[in-house]
Amino acid sequence: MSILVIFKLLGSLALLMFGMKSMSEALQKMAGPQLRHVLGAMTTNRFTGMLTGMFVTAAVQSSTATTLMTVSFVSAGLLTLVQAISVIMGAHIGTTVTAWIMSLGFSFNITDFVYPAFFLGIILIYMKSKRIIGDFLFGVAFLFLGLGTLKETGFSLVQDPEASQAISTFFANFNEPNFWNSLFFLVMGTVLTLCVQSSAAIMAITMILCSTGVLHIDQGIMLVLGENIGTTITANIVAMGANTSARRAAFAHLSINVLGVTWALILLQPFVNLVCGFVGFDRNIQLGDPGYAANLAKISIVLATFHSTFNITNTFLLIWFVPQIKKFVCWVIKPKKVDEEEDFRLHFITSGIMKTPELSVLEAHKEIESFADRMQRMFVMVRELLNESSTITAGKKGDKNVEEFNKLFSRIEKYEGISDNMEIEIANYLDQVSDAHLSDETKAKIRAMLREISELESIGDSCFNMARTISRKYQGKQDHFTEKQYQHLHQMMELTENALSQMNQLMSGRKESFDVNRTFNIENEINNYRNQLKSQNINDVNNHEYTYAVGTIYMDLVNECEKLGDYVVNVVEARMGTRQKEV
């Protein structure tokens, strides 16, 4: 075997994988913005979830993409574990379309259609509005060019007496039908799929080896079963750093296929005989027998049929046991016991968990929702700190009150550090996503998200500024606020918290159903109340109701609440894509 042939094999395999990846990503870009709503609307029960997974996978031509998307949605709380398991089962059926595409490439010379696809694709790529369709055509063309070249190289390799003898001798060592030989090919299929990260590529290689007569159909079927396990390991590796729900969904994916392979091995011979009988393939015809070539030509169809029959049967057997599978994976994957206050990592974004930028934006959306909720909790702690300070400054300086005050201030300070980290990590993630080729809609979403996290971090800064102001008043042993000042501060903070609640309602819901005028009205109330308190403060200081120093600290808190309200409006505007009308 010459070095040129080896590189030709590797190059054609690379073309095949690149074509499949490009085609899948183009399809996902076309459907990306709608996929979240499809998954949410069509997973009301296990059967609709299965159909959703099947159609989405058939549409995007990648079970790995569907599975990673599903694991990601579970991680982000967009899907429950039960919904995810049913979607993953459907993805196993949808992925069988890929095997039939491969089989089609072996049925006739598909490369005749490759070059017109390249020509049309390049025209569409230079037409900005049709660029994604051009990317799809290029992906299809590369896929079939790689498949055709792989097929041609494989057959030429077999015609080389020296190479053919070496390959045949190797596989002849495992021809005897026994448990260990079957296990060898099962493990080989699993390992190769894991290494190549593409079950489609290994399916193509399997079809080549079987179609040339180098590999017996029984060995090829064991490779196919191994591919089904290997393709599940990718999601488990990616989900290792994710939250408990994502790891459970990925493990459910592995468990479903391992269970399927187990029963398939028990019933292997009758199952294979059934598939071969349906296709009309005779397993007993040997080289030199009449009809050997015609029989050999059916092998790619046999493999595709076996792949489809196995996944369809496995899904319909296990769909009835989704609750039991959920219990099993929950028993195996225990939740991590991490103190939220000490947990600085992002909960929903996991590097690499989504390979498609359009869908990665959904993860960032959920993370920003968590960020906004955390900032509201931080503001609630500031209100509690104000209450704690009142008991201390009123003269009740017991150790318990001081200890509670310091503990609460430390928590607020820790939250401020978390908000800084969240802004940086989400921004870095969005920056990585924006490096890819994106639709104009997704680019606009990323710009809005970057503005959102900047404003949310400013909310965290405002909260911390208020906490420091309260602490400074306590440490400086200033006179306590009057009862009227406390009432005004609580009223101002109540308005501010209402604004934060409105913001979080928008972040966790759909903007179509959100009334943005309510946020603007609250902001106007805050501004008017701040102006009222500012004038009243000047009069109160002049009337010696409290000292100028106390009045300064008091107005610092009022002004910081007003600033925080402005940041809330900015977040809402970024999410809604609107600007408040200038008055």
Side-chain angles (χ1 to χ4, degrees), residues 303-530:
L303 291 171
T305 304
F306 176 83
H307 189 237
S308 297
T309 308
F310 165 73
N311 281 292
I312 292 170
T313 306
N314 190 43
T315 297
F316 279 99
L317 283 175
L318 297 181
I319 192 73
W320 308 100
F321 300 99
V322 169
Q324 287 75 19
I325 294 172
K326 177 195 171 184
K327 287 181 181 177
F328 172 69
V329 297
C330 289
W331 176 71
V332 174
I333 307 291
K334 304 292 184 185
K336 294 178 180 178
K337 294 181 180 178
V338 181
D339 181 4
E340 184 189 20
E341 301 297 331
E342 303 296 333
D343 186 12
F344 290 96
R345 73 174 181 83
L346 301 181
H347 292 287
F348 303 104
I349 291 174
T350 304
S351 180
I353 198 165
M354 284 306 304
K355 294 184 177 179
T356 307
E358 306 282 339
L359 298 170
S360 299
V361 172
L362 298 178
E363 288 187 326
H365 172 91
K366 195 67 181 180
E367 197 65 65
I368 293 171
E369 181 185 328
S370 172
F371 192 180
D373 181 65
R374 192 186 289 266
M375 291 303 96
Q376 184 168 3
R377 294 203 306 273
M378 185 178 180
F379 183 75
V380 169
M381 282 188 269
V382 172
R383 295 190 69 177
E384 291 174 6
L385 190 73
L386 181 64
N387 291 333
E388 287 291 335
S389 71
S390 68
T391 63
I392 297 172
T393 55
K396 300 177 183 178
K397 298 188 178 181
D399 291 340
K400 185 177 179 182
N401 291 329
V402 173
E403 185 180 334
E404 285 297 319
F405 181 90
N406 292 334
K407 183 179 177 182
L408 195 53
F409 180 80
S410 295
R411 287 185 69 199
I412 294 170
E413 189 173 27
K414 192 170 291 185
Y415 260 66
E416 202 277 332
I418 290 173
S419 72
D420 290 342
N421 289 337
M422 289 188 78
E423 180 194 20
I424 292 168
E425 290 188 35
I426 297 172
N428 288 340
Y429 181 79
L430 290 173
D431 186 53
Q432 292 172 10
V433 172
S434 63
D435 286 340
H437 170 56
L438 303 170
S439 64
D440 291 338
E441 181 185 359
T442 304
K443 287 178 183 176
K445 283 182 182 177
I446 289 177
R447 286 195 297 271
M449 285 178 170
L450 288 170
R451 184 184 174 200
E452 287 168 20
I453 60 174
S454 174
E455 300 296 341
L456 286 171
E457 194 276 333
S458 295
I459 290 174
D461 288 343
S462 280
C463 290
F464 187 51
N465 287 340
M466 281 189 273
R468 285 193 300 182
T469 300
I470 296 169
S471 179
R472 187 173 73 245
K473 176 179 175 295
Y474 161 64
Q475 298 293 343
K477 299 180 180 179
Q478 301 288 344
D479 293 337
H480 60 80
F481 292 133
T482 65
E483 188 65 31
K484 189 168 64 174
Q485 282 178 310
Y486 274 119
Q487 288 177 358
H488 292 160
L489 284 173
H490 285 308
Q491 191 171 346
M492 174 62 91
M493 287 185 169
E494 185 68 28
L495 285 172
T496 308
E497 190 169 351
N498 288 342
L500 286 166
S501 297
Q502 285 291 307
M503 178 190 76
N504 277 308
Q505 182 183 331
L506 169 63
M507 302 301 277
S508 60
R510 293 178 68 99
K511 65 181 182 181
E512 292 82 5
S513 59
F514 183 77
D515 184 7
V516 71
N517 289 321
R518 294 181 66 182
T519 296
F520 293 153
N521 289 338
I522 293 173
E523 168 63 9
N524 288 332
E525 283 186 62
I526 292 173
N527 289 341
N528 292 334
Y529 196 49
R530 187 274 312 265

Side-chain angles (χ1 to χ4, degrees), residues 102-149:
M102 299 292 175
S103 177
L104 182 68
F106 284 88
S107 301
F108 60 92
N109 189 9
I110 198 78
T111 53
D112 292 341
F113 301 93
V114 165
Y115 300 104
F118 274 130
F119 177 71
L120 183 59
I122 197 68
I123 293 175
L124 293 174
I125 284 174
Y126 280 101
M127 296 170 60
K128 190 175 180 182
S129 60
K130 306 290 184 183
R131 181 168 183 174
I132 296 176
I133 299 175
D135 289 340
F136 169 74
L137 281 176
F138 252 65
V140 172
F142 275 122
L143 167 65
F144 285 120
L145 180 63
L147 189 61
T149 309

Side-chain angles (χ1 to χ4, degrees), residues 151-366:
K151 175 184 172 184
E152 178 189 328
T153 309
F155 278 101
S156 66
L157 193 62
V158 173
Q159 291 170 2
D160 181 352
E162 185 179 340
S164 177
Q165 181 65 32
I167 296 171
S168 299
T169 302
F170 173 77
F171 285 114
N173 296 325
F174 307 96
N175 271 343
E176 188 178 340
N178 59 48
F179 171 79
W180 295 110
N181 286 342
S182 298
L183 182 64
F184 172 78
F185 283 100
L186 181 71
V187 173
M188 179 187 285
T190 302
V191 172
L192 287 175
T193 305
L194 179 61
C195 292
V196 176
Q197 292 286 298
S198 172
S199 59
I202 305 304
M203 175 63 81
I205 292 173
T206 304
M207 287 181 174
I208 287 286
L209 292 171
C210 291
S211 297
T212 54
V214 170
L215 200 64
H216 192 268
I217 185 65
D218 291 352
Q219 298 166 332
I221 283 172
M222 293 308 297
L223 283 175
V224 171
L225 289 175
E227 291 157 17
N228 276 274
I229 297 176
T231 194
T232 68
I233 298 175
T234 305
N236 280 271
I237 292 173
V238 171
M240 279 181 181
N243 61 22
T244 303
S245 297
R247 288 185 291 120
R248 284 172 174 171
F251 185 68
H253 182 32
L254 173 63
S255 302
I256 290 164
N257 274 11
V258 169
L259 285 170
V261 170
T262 302
W263 70 254
L265 289 175
I266 295 170
L267 303 173
L268 188 61
Q269 292 309 314
F271 191 34
V272 173
N273 287 333
L274 180 69
V275 171
C276 290
F278 178 75
V279 175
F281 178 83
D282 190 345
R283 296 168 68 192
N284 298 317
I285 294 181
Q286 303 293 325
L287 181 63
D289 293 347
Y292 174 75
N295 194 56
L296 200 64
K298 299 176 183 177
I299 277 192
S300 62
I301 299 174
V302 173
L303 291 171
T305 304
F306 176 83
H307 189 237
S308 297
T309 308
F310 165 73
N311 281 292
I312 292 170
T313 306
N314 190 43
T315 297
F316 279 99
L317 283 175
L318 297 181
I319 192 73
W320 308 100
F321 300 99
V322 169
Q324 287 75 19
I325 294 172
K326 177 195 171 184
K327 287 181 181 177
F328 172 69
V329 297
C330 289
W331 176 71
V332 174
I333 307 291
K334 304 292 184 185
K336 294 178 180 178
K337 294 181 180 178
V338 181
D339 181 4
E340 184 189 20
E341 301 297 331
E342 303 296 333
D343 186 12
F344 290 96
R345 73 174 181 83
L346 301 181
H347 292 287
F348 303 104
I349 291 174
T350 304
S351 180
I353 198 165
M354 284 306 304
K355 294 184 177 179
T356 307
E358 306 282 339
L359 298 170
S360 299
V361 172
L362 298 178
E363 288 187 326
H365 172 91
K366 195 67 181 180

